[in-house]
Amino acid sequence: MKKTVHDTSADPARNNKTGDSVIDAAKPSRRRAIKTLAATTALAATASSMPLFGRYGQVQSSEPIKIGFQVHRTGIGAAYGRWYDRTTKAAVKKINDEGGINGRAVEIVAEDDGTDPKRGAEVVEKMATQHGCDIAFGTLFSHVVIGSAPRAGELKIPYFVVSEGHHVASGMLNRYTLQPGITDVKSQVQAMAPFVNNTLGKKVTMIYPDFAFGHDHRDYFSAAVAAQGGEVV
């Protein structure tokens, strides 16, 4: 196993200076002992208070990393869920074929949420309390994210979503709900509005889905178009 090497002097004569006094680096001191003890105690306290996933950095384990996959297998999100399922399986196979993560295999525990907010919260709870998952991910549809995220926060399980709604970036959910690697609707429509106004026209008609994702388009795009001198009708 590769180890990190810290550059330290082997010469006992090398000293550390503190103010007007000189402390021999090769000899223990009461101050150094107290500082070391305090740092060790703080580290142990931090590790014990971390969510389960955070403590993996503190101990060696051969147990698999269990990832809960909240997948839209049925309901209006099924077309997306099918491809999320296929890409997840392909990614996990590649990771495990290459030795896993720090020598630990990745195990996916998949549950269908029916693209339903109530069912989504139940799936998150099941992953945390029954399956013992370290994290959960996979949710796309914004109304399911909004329905599921509060339970993830209560259970303190990191919840990685792929929803593009502004609800995650706005901070309306909780610190355990994360939106990695994707921009949100507000950023997208604000960037697009100048092109629409300058190239396509000043009067715009919108058709949007009647849940949070669509409402973000309606609200933020309307404001962005108005700021450019246009109008959404």
Side-chain angles (χ1 to χ4, degrees):
M1 183 180 292
K2 186 178 179 180
K3 297 182 179 179
T4 302
V5 179
H6 298 281
D7 183 15
T8 57
S9 173
D11 184 1
R14 184 175 178 178
N15 296 328
N16 293 329
K17 293 185 179 182
T18 305
D20 294 331
S21 62
V22 178
I23 302 173
D24 189 335
K27 295 181 180 179
S29 70
R30 180 174 179 274
R31 178 179 296 177
R32 187 179 297 115
I34 291 173
K35 288 176 67 176
T36 301
L37 178 61
T40 304
T41 303
L43 179 62
T46 300
S48 65
S49 65
M50 283 180 177
L52 185 60
F53 83 99
R55 296 201 290 274
Y56 288 133
Q58 310 298 324
V59 295
Q60 294 293 327
S61 173
S62 60
E63 292 293 318
I65 299 171
K66 297 183 74 171
I67 300 177
F69 179 22
Q70 183 180 347
V71 54
H72 303 329
R73 282 206 175 114
T74 55
I76 62 173
Y80 292 93
R82 175 174 180 267
W83 290 103
Y84 283 20
D85 193 27
R86 294 184 66 176
T87 53
T88 293
K89 288 175 180 176
V92 169
K93 182 180 186 304
K94 176 176 173 60
I95 291 169
N96 287 338
D97 286 350
E98 295 177 357
I101 299 175
N102 289 334
R104 298 174 62 191
V106 174
E107 177 185 340
I108 295 293
V109 179
E111 289 275 354
D112 178 20
D113 64 9
T115 325
D116 176 77
K118 183 175 182 297
R119 174 61 183 153
E122 293 169 353
V123 166
V124 169
E125 180 171 356
K126 188 175 180 181
M127 288 174 176
T129 61
Q130 294 185 32
H131 296 306
C133 295
D134 305 305
I135 65 171
F137 88 106
T139 325
L140 170 64
F141 276 67
S142 56
H143 62 302
V144 183
V145 172
I146 292 172
S148 305
R151 196 69 187 112
E154 291 166 0
L155 295 167
K156 297 182 178 180
I157 181 171
Y159 185 47
F160 292 84
V161 303
V162 290
S163 172
E164 296 174 64
H166 187 56
H167 40 275
V168 183
S170 70
M172 70 169 279
L173 298 175
N174 55 64
R175 63 183 297 189
Y176 289 91
T177 303
L178 309 169
Q179 187 183 40
I182 195 168
T183 57
D184 61 35
V185 168
K186 182 179 180 181
S187 301
Q188 293 168 7
V189 298
Q190 286 179 339
M192 186 176 66
F195 170 81
V196 172
N197 273 305
N198 296 332
T199 308
L200 303 178
K202 297 289 187 180
K203 186 171 287 189
V204 181
T205 299
M206 288 188 67
I207 301 173
Y208 57 88
D210 190 20
F211 51 87
F213 175 72
H215 299 165
D216 278 356
H217 280 81
R218 176 196 64 197
D219 298 340
Y220 294 116
F221 185 64
S222 297
V225 167
Q228 296 291 320
E231 179 187 9
V232 173
V233 297

